[in-house]
Amino acid sequence: MEVVVDVRQLRYFVEVARVKNFTKAAEALHIAQPAVSMAVKRLEQELELALFNRQDKKVSLTAEGEIFLPHARRILEDLRAAELEMAELKGLSKGEVRIGIPPMISAYFFPDIIRDFKISYPQLRLSVLGEGAWRIQKMIGQGELDMGVVAGGNFPETLEVRRFLREEIVICVPPGHPFAGRRSVTLAEFIREPLVFYKEGYYIREFFLEVLKGAGSAPNIVFETNLFSLVKSLVRNGTGISIFLRMVVAADTDLVAVPFDPPLHLDLLIAWKKDTYLSLANRAFVDFLLQHAAEEWRSHAEQK
């Protein structure tokens, strides 16, 4: 049986599968909802399979839809890679970089990089999405992002990674806290304190909980949030203490950064999908980021 599938049908199918709603998928695609429903229906007719369960306005993938989804994503990814490569062979000077960056990093490390990259490559479009590191990994795998910033050391084999920064994790306390006058604090001392912590999926939480394995006791978490600005405010008002990357609290005169004993460091890496075509625009960004990070490291080393 020869199956004839329109690329638009695949795009619409993948988007409905992502949001689990035909109306929301149509809004995201900027087209009318009946067009989405009709395209998906034709796709099902061509495949002679039901891809979605449709009950009481709720949409979910059938078993066949679950199997077909990764194939549809792969086809769309390959098509986009082919379009990029063919455009570059024709000497097209335009391109887009779709990158995911955790909010804490994007606010403190990337503004100057984004500015300087745009100055160096004004013809390239840079699209930045703020997500947690785990979500970024997933979006790269699904082709929703070209690359992203991930943290730590455990990554799926499907990702290609390059380290661009190693940053110290420090304890953050208000000036009147007993730790404020200390040169360092042990892990055991820290976890006995009331902690304002990050929600599941936040890279610094996952890294820290991995470090705690084998410590013999659980941290005393009194509040959780994924808003690092709220974490700072709650540390200031005495709700609890927390951890940050040193760069994030370096300019806060009303907060005190205290090192761990022994020191804790987190590796930050730029990642993209292994064995996939990395466009000239994306390669330019990777090279620019790694060069900038190397210059920053040399500058800090000279200052010491």
Side-chain angles (χ1 to χ4, degrees), residues 274-294:
K274 189 177 289 186
D275 300 326
T276 191
Y277 178 72
L278 199 61
S279 73
L280 290 177
N282 284 302
R283 277 180 275 170
F285 185 83
V286 170
D287 292 343
F288 190 88
L289 172 62
L290 295 178
Q291 181 181 352
H292 177 93

Side-chain angles (χ1 to χ4, degrees), residues 56-208:
D56 300 326
K57 296 184 179 180
K58 293 182 179 179
V59 178
S60 62
L61 286 167
T62 62
E64 294 80 3
E66 293 280 3
I67 294 171
F68 184 68
L69 181 58
H71 293 284
R73 284 178 174 152
R74 195 176 306 116
I75 292 168
L76 293 176
E77 287 174 27
D78 289 344
L79 179 61
R80 184 172 185 273
E83 290 172 346
L84 285 170
E85 195 164 358
M86 293 306 101
E88 289 172 354
L89 286 173
K90 290 188 290 186
L92 190 64
S93 62
K94 296 181 181 179
E96 180 182 15
V97 179
R98 303 178 303 166
I99 182 171
I101 308 175
M104 190 185 297
I105 302 300
S106 65
Y108 289 90
F109 184 77
F110 275 90
D112 288 350
I113 291 175
I114 291 170
R115 178 200 63 200
D116 295 344
F117 182 77
K118 290 298 295 178
I119 292 171
S120 300
Y121 300 93
Q123 76 277 19
L124 299 182
R125 181 183 172 193
L126 187 61
S127 176
V128 178
L129 181 68
E131 289 285 353
W134 181 87
R135 173 71 178 146
I136 287 171
Q137 286 189 38
K138 185 176 180 182
M139 293 180 75
I140 293 171
Q142 294 178 347
E144 296 174 48
L145 289 172
D146 299 320
M147 61 181 66
V149 174
V150 295
N154 297 319
F155 306 104
E157 293 182 357
T158 54
L159 289 185
E160 191 81 34
V161 297
R162 298 286 186 279
R163 190 180 82 179
F164 65 88
L165 182 67
R166 169 166 282 187
E167 183 71 356
E168 185 179 9
I169 295 178
V170 293
I171 300 164
C172 184
V173 300
H177 192 276
F179 288 172
R182 299 272 297 273
R183 296 188 65 177
S184 62
V185 172
T186 66
L187 204 59
E189 290 175 303
F190 173 73
I191 62 175
R192 287 197 294 266
E193 293 288 314
L195 304 181
V196 178
F197 226 57
Y198 307 94
K199 283 188 174 291
E200 187 176 349
Y202 219 81
Y203 67 95
I204 200 167
R205 172 196 173 102
E206 307 307 329
F207 173 82
F208 193 77

Side-chain angles (χ1 to χ4, degrees), residues 179-247:
F179 288 172
R182 299 272 297 273
R183 296 188 65 177
S184 62
V185 172
T186 66
L187 204 59
E189 290 175 303
F190 173 73
I191 62 175
R192 287 197 294 266
E193 293 288 314
L195 304 181
V196 178
F197 226 57
Y198 307 94
K199 283 188 174 291
E200 187 176 349
Y202 219 81
Y203 67 95
I204 200 167
R205 172 196 173 102
E206 307 307 329
F207 173 82
F208 193 77
L209 293 182
E210 187 68 27
V211 171
L212 278 182
K213 284 184 178 178
S217 56
N220 178 23
I221 298 173
V222 296
F223 188 82
E224 291 184 344
T225 177
N226 60 352
L227 302 173
F228 72 89
S229 56
L230 178 57
V231 174
K232 282 188 176 183
S233 297
L234 293 174
V235 171
R236 289 188 184 102
N237 71 18
T239 301
I241 65 174
S242 192
I243 54 173
F244 281 98
L245 297 181
R246 183 176 284 280
M247 72 171 78

